[in-house]
Amino acid sequence: MRLAVLPGDDIGPEITEAALTVLDAVDRAFSLGLEYDVHEVGMKAHKRCGTTLPDAALRAVREVDGIVLGPAGMTAYPPASDGGINIPGTIRKQLDLYANVRPARARRGVPNARAGLDCLIVRENTEGFYADRNLYQGHGEFMPTPDVAMSIRLITAKSSRRIAERAFLAAASRRKDVTVVGKRHVLRITDGLFMREVQTAAALHPGIKVREIDIDAMAAELYTRPQAFDVILTTNMFGDIFSNLANALAGSLGLAAALNVGDHHAAANAGHGSAPDIAGKGIANPSGIILSSALLLDWLGQRHGKKAYQQAARAIEQAIDVVLSDSKTTTCDLGGTLSTSAFAACVSKAITTCAHTS
Ligand code: ATP
């Protein structure tokens, strides 16, 4: 299988290299036959060729079996008209990666993890409040006068229905419980349409429990009763905010994993940003992008009927659990002293040890 690797900005190249170290370990242990097609994107690409997302990278992501995408430091990008292209946004839109699947779990030994947390946020990924990319043409934000600014929130029946369907399918192989999060009494029309489509999908999955909670109530509930939530289904921006909260409750934003997935393509893309404040120091926690790569392997395994890929995904999950359970083998966000590359080496070693003993 061929993977396109786009390392991104700031900590992106450091954590992506760590993910490749771990992918190499599972490749060897499970004979996966992985090949990589690495493309420079972000500000380095912009300096070289005037765009943060060169055509060659965009062509590659269409042609490969899967994508590993490092975080992009978009706040430092020039305007799109000067080549500052939103990398994840463009890839999501062009490949129709309509679902953003973000797990968060309390792992043994991780300091400050909220006991009982084990949820999967299923976030709509193509519309909602993302005014910079939610229209076919033009920008969903505008200023009719210098003192009036407005944003458009886009919700469609088609996107709501297909993300709901993803959530119910995910719940079927978990604890069969979906919590839908919105603010229906305020966003009556848009959340009303979203909830209507969720109810239609729910009717096709009678074995799955569904409840609706307002976003503000849910923020408190996830903190106070994390064990009460299995699959959390929500619209684009609420899902983005919520997954940061969920991963902070799991112990660190550095643990945030995410898979952007559509009907034909998938991109592993850590759930955190490019962390410019710690870039270049070699101290970032690469768990998020490593766990995202595991989600990608699992997706490839399901799609192509390759059990070894699913075994490799489970092996990465288990190895991360083993390594994080020992405070001596964590990065500084979790109170440890390991560098990004040393952490990846520990995860790889745990994979190799498990593969030899199982
Ligand atoms: P974006 O808007 O691009 O999603 P953000 O505003 O959520 O980004 P991040 O770049 O995710 O911000 O950083 C938020 C904080 O979390 C920073 O203090 C950063 O150093 C920390 N952080 C993010 N990722 C990691 C990581 N992998 N390891 C350690 N700390 C991280």
Side-chain angles (χ1 to χ4, degrees), residues 11 244 253-254 272-275 277-278 284-285 333:
I11 63 166
N244 269 26
L253 211 45
H272 55 74
S274 67
D277 52 335
I278 56 166
N285 183 347
D333 56 316

Side-chain angles (χ1 to χ4, degrees), residues 220-343:
E221 285 281 301
L222 194 63
Y223 178 79
T224 48
R225 297 193 307 134
Q227 72 286 353
F229 301 99
D230 177 19
V231 171
I232 298 169
L233 165 63
T234 189
T235 48
N236 200 347
M237 194 171 284
F238 288 166
D240 190 24
I241 296 166
F242 241 80
S243 46
N244 269 26
L245 170 63
N247 279 290
L249 296 177
S252 169
L253 211 45
L255 302 171
L259 189 70
N260 294 280
V261 58
D263 291 332
H264 307 291
H265 301 273
N269 177 199
H272 55 74
S274 67
D277 52 335
I278 56 166
K281 298 181 178 167
I283 57 169
N285 183 347
S287 299
I289 197 156
I290 293 171
L291 290 165
S292 306
S293 305
L295 293 173
L296 178 64
L297 292 181
D298 187 60
W299 177 81
L300 285 168
Q302 283 183 41
R303 181 171 164 82
H304 298 284
K306 288 182 182 281
K307 282 212 167 73
Y309 276 67
Q310 291 180 286
Q311 285 167 345
R314 278 195 296 277
I316 293 176
E317 267 283 336
Q318 285 162 8
I320 290 272
D321 274 351
V322 168
V323 174
L324 291 181
S325 67
D326 182 349
S327 61
K328 290 194 291 303
T329 55
T330 58
T331 44
C332 64
D333 56 316
L334 294 175
T337 55
L338 282 196
S339 67
T340 307
S341 56
F343 180 85

Side-chain angles (χ1 to χ4, degrees), residues 21-51:
T21 302
V22 172
L23 283 171
D24 282 345
V26 283
D27 190 18
R28 284 191 300 275
F30 296 93
S31 305
L32 302 180
L34 293 178
E35 290 173 33
Y36 310 117
D37 199 355
V38 181
H39 288 267
E40 188 177 75
V41 293
M43 285 313 288
K44 280 189 191 151
H46 188 269
K47 280 199 186 84
R48 191 171 44 81
C49 60
T51 172

Side-chain angles (χ1 to χ4, degrees), residues 87-343:
I87 301 168
T90 305
I91 291 176
R92 282 173 197 173
K93 199 165 179 173
Q94 296 222 355
L95 303 186
D96 199 19
L97 305 178
Y98 60 83
N100 192 222
V101 177
R102 296 182 161 193
R105 176 160 71 82
R107 295 169 193 267
R108 192 162 54 87
V110 171
N112 304 321
R114 296 286 296 160
L117 176 75
D118 183 3
C119 66
L120 182 76
I121 295 172
V122 178
R123 162 194 173 197
E124 203 290 322
N125 214 16
T126 58
E127 45 187 42
F129 266 126
Y130 282 79
D132 59 336
R133 70 203 78 148
N134 64 9
L135 301 185
Y136 168 66
Q137 199 175 21
H139 197 282
E141 263 197 321
F142 39 89
M143 279 182 102
T145 76
D147 298 319
V148 177
M150 300 165 90
S151 286
I152 286 181
R153 179 186 194 233
L154 176 77
I155 300 290
T156 65
K158 179 186 167 197
S159 295
S160 304
R161 182 66 183 276
R162 63 185 181 173
I163 196 67
E165 190 58 35
R166 281 266 168 187
F168 284 102
L169 286 176
S173 58
R174 290 177 52 99
R175 304 196 302 280
K176 301 187 172 44
D177 186 307
V178 173
T179 304
V180 196
V181 178
K183 188 88 176 170
R184 200 199 314 207
H185 61 282
V186 175
L187 300 164
R188 282 174 192 267
I189 297 177
T190 47
D191 265 351
L193 178 59
F194 185 74
M195 299 303 173
R196 183 190 85 188
E197 293 305 312
V198 171
Q199 291 307 333
T200 309
L204 302 173
H205 298 270
I208 294 176
K209 202 175 130 203
V210 196
R211 68 192 138 161
E212 182 182 335
I213 301 189
D214 273 356
I215 179 83
D216 46 346
M218 183 64 183
E221 285 281 301
L222 194 63
Y223 178 79
T224 48
R225 297 193 307 134
Q227 72 286 353
F229 301 99
D230 177 19
V231 171
I232 298 169
L233 165 63
T234 189
T235 48
N236 200 347
M237 194 171 284
F238 288 166
D240 190 24
I241 296 166
F242 241 80
S243 46
N244 269 26
L245 170 63
N247 279 290
L249 296 177
S252 169
L253 211 45
L255 302 171
L259 189 70
N260 294 280
V261 58
D263 291 332
H264 307 291
H265 301 273
N269 177 199
H272 55 74
S274 67
D277 52 335
I278 56 166
K281 298 181 178 167
I283 57 169
N285 183 347
S287 299
I289 197 156
I290 293 171
L291 290 165
S292 306
S293 305
L295 293 173
L296 178 64
L297 292 181
D298 187 60
W299 177 81
L300 285 168
Q302 283 183 41
R303 181 171 164 82
H304 298 284
K306 288 182 182 281
K307 282 212 167 73
Y309 276 67
Q310 291 180 286
Q311 285 167 345
R314 278 195 296 277
I316 293 176
E317 267 283 336
Q318 285 162 8
I320 290 272
D321 274 351
V322 168
V323 174
L324 291 181
S325 67
D326 182 349
S327 61
K328 290 194 291 303
T329 55
T330 58
T331 44
C332 64
D333 56 316
L334 294 175
T337 55
L338 282 196
S339 67
T340 307
S341 56
F343 180 85

